[in-house]
Amino acid sequence: FFVVTMGNQNSSQASNPPPSSAEQVPEDASGIFLSPEFQNKIMVDFQSKVLKEEWEKYQKYLLAKDSERRLGDLQVIEKVKADMAAFQQKNNAIQQQLDRRMESLQASFSDVSHELEWDAKRLIQQYGTGDGPGPQPQCTAERSGLTKCLQSKGPLQCDVMLKSMQQCVEKTVVAS
């Protein structure tokens, strides 16, 4: 409850409790007297107002935090999208480069394959395969004899066979 006593410094403090709503206030009494019901209403209104203000402050705080979080989430999403787009561009460039390199290697392989095939056909025509018509390998008997001699006797005892092989090779090279 609320009591205000008015007076100067020489005044004495009132020792009587404030009158209730049922009591009559004397006319010569000074001060403001409030009924207990009115005092309770003021107290409840004040507490309600304070609680309401605190609740509104808390709601504003929660809304601000939620907005910050959502903004942060949107920024993260945008960053991830930008990073993903950059990665896809880089990946596409690398894939194109690999595709070009693969095509180049396939073309080179095809070229070398055709060259080898052509060279093999030319060599078969020139030297034969040894199992059919066409030129037969030269100096096979001398080669065979030299090989057997080297395996059984050693290089110093095969001088005759070595000279025979050398003559055959020279004759074949000059004839070609």
Side-chain angles (χ1 to χ4, degrees), residues 82-137:
D83 290 348
M84 192 68 171
F87 173 77
Q88 285 175 342
Q89 279 184 329
K90 185 177 180 181
N91 186 39
N92 288 340
I94 290 171
Q95 288 298 324
Q96 289 174 352
Q97 188 178 27
L98 289 173
D99 289 345
R100 286 191 300 270
R101 179 74 176 141
M102 187 67 144
E103 288 172 4
S104 172
L105 289 173
Q106 285 175 339
S108 294
F109 177 77
S110 179
D111 291 346
V112 169
S113 174
H114 289 298
E115 285 177 24
L116 287 174
E117 190 178 318
W118 184 82
D119 285 345
K121 285 180 184 177
R122 187 178 56 81
L123 289 172
I124 289 173
Q125 288 175 352
Q126 185 176 357
Y127 296 108
T129 59
D131 60 352
Q136 296 297 318

Side-chain angles (χ1 to χ4, degrees), residues 12-126:
S12 64
Q13 194 170 13
S15 60
N16 294 344
S20 67
S21 60
E23 295 180 25
Q24 292 293 331
V25 177
E27 288 184 24
D28 62 340
S30 65
I32 298 175
F33 301 102
L34 302 175
S35 71
E37 294 87 25
F38 188 61
Q39 290 176 9
N40 284 338
K41 184 177 182 318
I42 290 174
M43 184 72 82
V44 168
D45 286 347
F46 178 75
Q47 288 174 348
S48 176
K49 182 179 177 186
V50 169
L51 285 175
K52 182 179 174 185
E53 288 173 356
E54 288 297 317
W55 178 246
E56 286 174 356
K57 273 197 252 181
Y58 184 68
Q59 284 179 327
K60 288 177 183 177
Y61 170 79
L62 287 178
L63 289 174
K65 283 295 186 185
D66 185 56
S67 294
E68 287 176 18
R69 183 189 54 81
R70 287 179 191 237
L71 182 62
D73 290 349
L74 288 175
Q75 289 172 344
V76 167
I77 289 170
E78 291 301 316
K79 184 179 181 337
V80 167
K81 284 181 182 179
D83 290 348
M84 192 68 171
F87 173 77
Q88 285 175 342
Q89 279 184 329
K90 185 177 180 181
N91 186 39
N92 288 340
I94 290 171
Q95 288 298 324
Q96 289 174 352
Q97 188 178 27
L98 289 173
D99 289 345
R100 286 191 300 270
R101 179 74 176 141
M102 187 67 144
E103 288 172 4
S104 172
L105 289 173
Q106 285 175 339
S108 294
F109 177 77
S110 179
D111 291 346
V112 169
S113 174
H114 289 298
E115 285 177 24
L116 287 174
E117 190 178 318
W118 184 82
D119 285 345
K121 285 180 184 177
R122 187 178 56 81
L123 289 172
I124 289 173
Q125 288 175 352
Q126 185 176 357

